[in-house]
Short mmCIF file of all heavy atoms in Angstrom, two decimals:
data_model
loop_
_atom_site.label_atom_id
_atom_site.label_comp_id
_atom_site.label_asym_id
_atom_site.label_seq_id
_atom_site.Cartn_x
_atom_site.Cartn_y
_atom_site.Cartn_z
N LEU A 207 -34.80 -73.48 36.43
CA LEU A 207 -34.17 -73.77 37.72
C LEU A 207 -33.75 -72.48 38.42
O LEU A 207 -34.03 -72.28 39.61
CB LEU A 207 -32.95 -74.67 37.47
CG LEU A 207 -32.12 -75.08 38.69
CD1 LEU A 207 -32.93 -76.04 39.55
CD2 LEU A 207 -30.82 -75.75 38.25
N TYR A 208 -33.09 -71.57 37.68
CA TYR A 208 -32.62 -70.33 38.28
C TYR A 208 -33.80 -69.51 38.82
O TYR A 208 -33.72 -68.92 39.90
CB TYR A 208 -31.83 -69.46 37.29
CG TYR A 208 -30.69 -70.19 36.58
CD1 TYR A 208 -30.26 -69.80 35.32
CD2 TYR A 208 -30.04 -71.27 37.18
CE1 TYR A 208 -29.23 -70.45 34.67
CE2 TYR A 208 -29.01 -71.93 36.54
CZ TYR A 208 -28.60 -71.52 35.28
OH TYR A 208 -27.60 -72.17 34.64
N ILE A 209 -34.88 -69.46 38.05
CA ILE A 209 -36.03 -68.65 38.47
C ILE A 209 -36.68 -69.27 39.71
O ILE A 209 -37.05 -68.57 40.65
CB ILE A 209 -37.04 -68.51 37.31
CG1 ILE A 209 -36.42 -67.63 36.22
CG2 ILE A 209 -38.34 -67.90 37.80
CD1 ILE A 209 -37.28 -67.47 34.99
N GLY A 210 -36.78 -70.60 39.70
CA GLY A 210 -37.33 -71.29 40.87
C GLY A 210 -36.55 -70.94 42.13
O GLY A 210 -37.12 -70.61 43.17
N ILE A 211 -35.22 -71.00 42.02
CA ILE A 211 -34.37 -70.69 43.18
C ILE A 211 -34.58 -69.24 43.61
O ILE A 211 -34.66 -68.93 44.80
CB ILE A 211 -32.89 -70.95 42.84
CG1 ILE A 211 -32.68 -72.44 42.61
CG2 ILE A 211 -31.98 -70.45 43.95
CD1 ILE A 211 -31.30 -72.81 42.12
N ALA A 212 -34.70 -68.34 42.63
CA ALA A 212 -34.86 -66.92 42.94
C ALA A 212 -36.13 -66.68 43.76
O ALA A 212 -36.15 -65.90 44.70
CB ALA A 212 -34.90 -66.10 41.66
N ILE A 213 -37.20 -67.37 43.39
CA ILE A 213 -38.47 -67.18 44.12
C ILE A 213 -38.34 -67.73 45.53
O ILE A 213 -38.79 -67.13 46.50
CB ILE A 213 -39.62 -67.86 43.35
CG1 ILE A 213 -39.84 -67.13 42.03
CG2 ILE A 213 -40.90 -67.88 44.19
CD1 ILE A 213 -40.83 -67.78 41.11
N TRP A 214 -37.63 -68.85 45.66
CA TRP A 214 -37.46 -69.47 46.97
C TRP A 214 -36.60 -68.60 47.89
O TRP A 214 -36.84 -68.53 49.09
CB TRP A 214 -36.84 -70.87 46.77
CG TRP A 214 -36.35 -71.49 48.02
CD1 TRP A 214 -37.13 -72.02 49.02
CD2 TRP A 214 -35.00 -71.66 48.45
NE1 TRP A 214 -36.34 -72.50 50.02
CE2 TRP A 214 -35.02 -72.30 49.70
CE3 TRP A 214 -33.75 -71.34 47.87
CZ2 TRP A 214 -33.87 -72.61 50.39
CZ3 TRP A 214 -32.61 -71.65 48.56
CH2 TRP A 214 -32.66 -72.28 49.81
N ALA A 215 -35.62 -67.91 47.30
CA ALA A 215 -34.66 -67.17 48.13
C ALA A 215 -34.82 -65.66 47.99
O ALA A 215 -33.86 -64.96 47.72
CB ALA A 215 -33.23 -67.59 47.77
N ARG A 216 -36.02 -65.15 48.19
CA ARG A 216 -36.20 -63.69 48.12
C ARG A 216 -35.53 -63.00 49.32
O ARG A 216 -35.49 -63.55 50.41
CB ARG A 216 -37.69 -63.34 48.14
CG ARG A 216 -38.38 -63.55 46.82
CD ARG A 216 -39.82 -63.07 46.92
NE ARG A 216 -40.50 -63.58 48.10
CZ ARG A 216 -41.11 -64.76 48.17
NH1 ARG A 216 -41.11 -65.55 47.11
NH2 ARG A 216 -41.71 -65.16 49.26
N ALA A 217 -35.05 -61.77 49.08
CA ALA A 217 -34.41 -61.04 50.19
C ALA A 217 -35.39 -60.10 50.85
O ALA A 217 -36.12 -59.37 50.18
CB ALA A 217 -33.22 -60.24 49.65
N GLY A 218 -35.43 -60.10 52.19
CA GLY A 218 -36.35 -59.24 52.92
C GLY A 218 -35.68 -58.05 53.59
O GLY A 218 -36.34 -57.09 53.96
N GLU A 222 -29.82 -59.34 54.06
CA GLU A 222 -30.00 -60.45 53.13
C GLU A 222 -29.64 -60.04 51.71
O GLU A 222 -29.06 -60.81 50.95
CB GLU A 222 -31.46 -60.95 53.18
CG GLU A 222 -31.75 -61.75 54.42
CD GLU A 222 -33.09 -62.44 54.37
OE1 GLU A 222 -33.96 -62.05 53.56
OE2 GLU A 222 -33.27 -63.37 55.16
N PHE A 223 -29.99 -58.80 51.37
CA PHE A 223 -29.72 -58.34 50.00
C PHE A 223 -28.22 -58.19 49.77
O PHE A 223 -27.71 -58.55 48.72
CB PHE A 223 -30.42 -57.00 49.75
CG PHE A 223 -30.48 -56.62 48.29
CD1 PHE A 223 -31.55 -57.00 47.50
CD2 PHE A 223 -29.45 -55.90 47.70
CE1 PHE A 223 -31.61 -56.67 46.15
CE2 PHE A 223 -29.50 -55.56 46.36
CZ PHE A 223 -30.59 -55.94 45.58
N TYR A 224 -27.48 -57.67 50.76
CA TYR A 224 -26.05 -57.41 50.57
C TYR A 224 -25.18 -58.64 50.78
O TYR A 224 -24.25 -58.88 50.02
CB TYR A 224 -25.57 -56.32 51.53
CG TYR A 224 -26.15 -54.95 51.28
CD1 TYR A 224 -26.26 -54.04 52.30
CD2 TYR A 224 -26.56 -54.58 50.00
CE1 TYR A 224 -26.77 -52.77 52.08
CE2 TYR A 224 -27.09 -53.33 49.77
CZ TYR A 224 -27.20 -52.42 50.80
OH TYR A 224 -27.70 -51.19 50.58
N VAL A 225 -25.42 -59.38 51.87
CA VAL A 225 -24.52 -60.50 52.19
C VAL A 225 -25.27 -61.79 52.50
O VAL A 225 -24.80 -62.64 53.25
CB VAL A 225 -23.57 -60.15 53.37
CG1 VAL A 225 -22.59 -59.07 52.96
CG2 VAL A 225 -24.34 -59.70 54.60
N ALA A 226 -26.46 -61.95 51.90
CA ALA A 226 -27.25 -63.18 52.04
C ALA A 226 -27.49 -63.52 53.50
O ALA A 226 -27.54 -64.69 53.88
CB ALA A 226 -26.56 -64.34 51.32
N GLY A 227 -27.63 -62.49 54.35
CA GLY A 227 -27.89 -62.73 55.77
C GLY A 227 -26.65 -63.16 56.53
O GLY A 227 -26.69 -63.36 57.73
N VAL A 230 -24.27 -68.18 54.88
CA VAL A 230 -24.09 -69.17 53.82
C VAL A 230 -23.03 -70.18 54.25
O VAL A 230 -21.95 -69.80 54.68
CB VAL A 230 -23.64 -68.48 52.52
CG1 VAL A 230 -23.47 -69.48 51.41
CG2 VAL A 230 -24.63 -67.41 52.11
N ALA A 238 -20.49 -70.84 44.89
CA ALA A 238 -20.98 -69.56 44.40
C ALA A 238 -19.82 -68.67 43.99
O ALA A 238 -19.86 -68.01 42.96
CB ALA A 238 -21.83 -68.88 45.46
N VAL A 352 -31.37 -62.16 34.64
CA VAL A 352 -30.56 -61.60 35.73
C VAL A 352 -31.41 -60.65 36.56
O VAL A 352 -31.36 -60.65 37.79
CB VAL A 352 -29.33 -60.87 35.18
CG1 VAL A 352 -28.60 -60.16 36.31
CG2 VAL A 352 -28.41 -61.84 34.51
N PHE A 354 -34.49 -60.73 37.15
CA PHE A 354 -35.41 -61.47 38.00
C PHE A 354 -34.75 -61.91 39.29
O PHE A 354 -35.23 -61.62 40.38
CB PHE A 354 -35.92 -62.69 37.23
CG PHE A 354 -37.18 -63.24 37.80
CD1 PHE A 354 -38.39 -62.65 37.49
CD2 PHE A 354 -37.16 -64.31 38.67
CE1 PHE A 354 -39.56 -63.13 38.02
CE2 PHE A 354 -38.32 -64.79 39.21
CZ PHE A 354 -39.53 -64.21 38.89
N TYR A 355 -33.60 -62.57 39.20
CA TYR A 355 -33.09 -63.09 40.46
C TYR A 355 -32.17 -62.13 41.21
O TYR A 355 -32.08 -62.21 42.43
CB TYR A 355 -32.50 -64.49 40.34
CG TYR A 355 -31.27 -64.66 39.51
CD1 TYR A 355 -30.04 -64.26 39.98
CD2 TYR A 355 -31.34 -65.27 38.28
CE1 TYR A 355 -28.90 -64.45 39.23
CE2 TYR A 355 -30.22 -65.46 37.53
CZ TYR A 355 -29.00 -65.05 38.00
OH TYR A 355 -27.88 -65.23 37.27
N ALA A 356 -31.53 -61.19 40.49
CA ALA A 356 -30.67 -60.24 41.21
C ALA A 356 -31.51 -59.20 41.94
O ALA A 356 -31.25 -58.87 43.09
CB ALA A 356 -29.70 -59.58 40.26
N VAL A 357 -32.55 -58.68 41.27
CA VAL A 357 -33.35 -57.63 41.90
C VAL A 357 -34.23 -58.19 43.00
O VAL A 357 -34.36 -57.62 44.08
CB VAL A 357 -34.18 -56.88 40.83
CG1 VAL A 357 -35.09 -55.86 41.47
CG2 VAL A 357 -33.25 -56.20 39.84
N LEU A 358 -34.82 -59.35 42.74
CA LEU A 358 -35.67 -59.96 43.75
C LEU A 358 -34.87 -60.48 44.93
O LEU A 358 -35.14 -60.16 46.08
CB LEU A 358 -36.37 -61.18 43.13
CG LEU A 358 -37.86 -61.14 42.91
CD1 LEU A 358 -38.31 -62.53 42.49
CD2 LEU A 358 -38.60 -60.67 44.12
N GLY A 359 -33.87 -61.27 44.61
CA GLY A 359 -33.20 -62.04 45.65
C GLY A 359 -31.98 -61.41 46.24
O GLY A 359 -31.49 -61.83 47.29
N GLY A 360 -31.41 -60.39 45.58
CA GLY A 360 -30.18 -59.80 46.07
C GLY A 360 -29.10 -60.86 46.21
O GLY A 360 -29.07 -61.84 45.46
N MET A 361 -28.22 -60.68 47.16
CA MET A 361 -27.12 -61.62 47.36
C MET A 361 -27.63 -63.01 47.68
O MET A 361 -27.05 -64.00 47.27
CB MET A 361 -26.23 -61.11 48.49
CG MET A 361 -24.95 -61.91 48.63
SD MET A 361 -24.03 -61.98 47.09
CE MET A 361 -22.39 -61.65 47.68
N LYS A 362 -28.74 -63.09 48.42
CA LYS A 362 -29.27 -64.40 48.79
C LYS A 362 -29.70 -65.17 47.55
O LYS A 362 -29.32 -66.33 47.35
CB LYS A 362 -30.44 -64.19 49.74
CG LYS A 362 -30.79 -65.39 50.56
CD LYS A 362 -31.85 -65.03 51.58
CE LYS A 362 -32.62 -66.25 52.03
NZ LYS A 362 -33.86 -65.87 52.70
N GLY A 363 -30.50 -64.51 46.71
CA GLY A 363 -30.94 -65.15 45.47
C GLY A 363 -29.77 -65.50 44.59
O GLY A 363 -29.67 -66.61 44.04
N ILE A 364 -28.82 -64.56 44.46
CA ILE A 364 -27.67 -64.77 43.59
C ILE A 364 -26.83 -65.94 44.08
O ILE A 364 -26.43 -66.80 43.30
CB ILE A 364 -26.81 -63.49 43.54
CG1 ILE A 364 -27.53 -62.42 42.72
CG2 ILE A 364 -25.46 -63.77 42.94
CD1 ILE A 364 -26.82 -61.09 42.71
N THR A 365 -26.59 -66.01 45.39
CA THR A 365 -25.75 -67.07 45.93
C THR A 365 -26.28 -68.45 45.57
O THR A 365 -25.56 -69.29 45.05
CB THR A 365 -25.64 -66.94 47.46
OG1 THR A 365 -25.14 -65.65 47.78
CG2 THR A 365 -24.71 -67.99 48.03
N TYR A 366 -27.57 -68.65 45.83
CA TYR A 366 -28.10 -69.99 45.58
C TYR A 366 -28.28 -70.29 44.10
O TYR A 366 -28.13 -71.44 43.68
CB TYR A 366 -29.36 -70.23 46.42
CG TYR A 366 -28.99 -70.28 47.88
CD1 TYR A 366 -29.23 -69.20 48.74
CD2 TYR A 366 -28.28 -71.37 48.39
CE1 TYR A 366 -28.82 -69.23 50.07
CE2 TYR A 366 -27.86 -71.40 49.71
CZ TYR A 366 -28.13 -70.33 50.55
OH TYR A 366 -27.70 -70.36 51.85
N THR A 367 -28.55 -69.27 43.27
CA THR A 367 -28.56 -69.54 41.83
C THR A 367 -27.15 -69.86 41.35
O THR A 367 -26.96 -70.72 40.49
CB THR A 367 -29.04 -68.34 40.99
OG1 THR A 367 -29.28 -67.24 41.83
CG2 THR A 367 -30.26 -68.66 40.19
N GLN A 368 -26.16 -69.17 41.92
CA GLN A 368 -24.78 -69.43 41.48
C GLN A 368 -24.34 -70.85 41.80
O GLN A 368 -23.57 -71.43 41.05
CB GLN A 368 -23.82 -68.43 42.13
CG GLN A 368 -23.81 -67.10 41.39
CD GLN A 368 -23.01 -66.04 42.11
OE1 GLN A 368 -22.80 -66.12 43.30
NE2 GLN A 368 -22.56 -65.05 41.37
N VAL A 369 -24.84 -71.40 42.90
CA VAL A 369 -24.52 -72.80 43.21
C VAL A 369 -25.01 -73.68 42.07
O VAL A 369 -24.29 -74.54 41.56
CB VAL A 369 -25.14 -73.22 44.56
CG1 VAL A 369 -24.98 -74.71 44.78
CG2 VAL A 369 -24.50 -72.44 45.70
N ALA A 370 -26.26 -73.44 41.63
CA ALA A 370 -26.80 -74.22 40.51
C ALA A 370 -26.02 -73.94 39.23
O ALA A 370 -25.70 -74.87 38.47
CB ALA A 370 -28.28 -73.88 40.31
N GLN A 371 -25.68 -72.68 39.01
CA GLN A 371 -24.95 -72.34 37.79
C GLN A 371 -23.56 -72.96 37.78
O GLN A 371 -23.07 -73.36 36.72
CB GLN A 371 -24.85 -70.81 37.64
CG GLN A 371 -26.16 -70.23 37.15
CD GLN A 371 -26.28 -68.75 37.40
OE1 GLN A 371 -25.65 -68.20 38.29
NE2 GLN A 371 -27.12 -68.09 36.63
N ARG A 456 -17.98 -61.92 48.44
CA ARG A 456 -18.46 -63.27 48.71
C ARG A 456 -17.97 -63.78 50.08
O ARG A 456 -18.61 -64.62 50.70
CB ARG A 456 -17.98 -64.25 47.64
CG ARG A 456 -18.57 -63.98 46.27
CD ARG A 456 -19.30 -65.22 45.77
NE ARG A 456 -20.18 -65.70 46.81
CZ ARG A 456 -21.48 -65.49 46.85
NH1 ARG A 456 -22.07 -64.84 45.91
NH2 ARG A 456 -22.20 -65.96 47.84
N ALA A 623 -24.47 -61.35 37.39
CA ALA A 623 -25.30 -61.09 38.57
C ALA A 623 -24.44 -60.61 39.74
O ALA A 623 -24.79 -59.65 40.42
CB ALA A 623 -26.07 -62.35 38.94
N LEU A 627 -24.72 -56.86 41.49
CA LEU A 627 -25.00 -56.68 42.92
C LEU A 627 -23.98 -55.74 43.56
O LEU A 627 -24.34 -54.87 44.35
CB LEU A 627 -24.96 -58.04 43.62
CG LEU A 627 -25.40 -57.85 45.06
CD1 LEU A 627 -26.89 -58.08 45.18
CD2 LEU A 627 -24.62 -58.71 46.00
N ARG A 656 -32.38 -51.98 45.00
CA ARG A 656 -33.06 -52.63 43.87
C ARG A 656 -33.11 -51.70 42.68
O ARG A 656 -32.90 -52.11 41.53
CB ARG A 656 -34.48 -53.04 44.29
CG ARG A 656 -34.47 -54.19 45.29
CD ARG A 656 -35.81 -54.91 45.34
NE ARG A 656 -35.64 -56.25 45.86
CZ ARG A 656 -36.13 -56.67 47.03
NH1 ARG A 656 -36.86 -55.86 47.78
NH2 ARG A 656 -35.92 -57.91 47.42
N HIS A 792 -31.00 -68.31 58.27
CA HIS A 792 -32.22 -68.12 57.49
C HIS A 792 -32.70 -69.44 56.94
O HIS A 792 -31.99 -70.42 56.99
CB HIS A 792 -32.03 -67.13 56.35
CG HIS A 792 -30.86 -67.46 55.45
ND1 HIS A 792 -30.91 -68.39 54.47
CD2 HIS A 792 -29.60 -67.00 55.47
CE1 HIS A 792 -29.73 -68.47 53.89
NE2 HIS A 792 -28.92 -67.64 54.47
#
Side-chain angles (χ1 to χ4, degrees):
Chain A
L207 179 69
Y208 307 153
I209 291 177
I211 294 173
I213 293 173
W214 168 73
R216 282 184 312 274
E222 285 190 342
F223 194 90
Y224 293 154
V225 293
V230 181
V352 173
F354 200 81
Y355 66 76
V357 175
L358 248 189
M361 189 54 135
K362 200 173 157 196
I364 287 175
T365 303
Y366 293 103
T367 4
Q368 279 173 337
V369 172
Q371 283 162 336
R456 294 238 49 100
L627 186 93
R656 290 200 157 114
H792 53 80

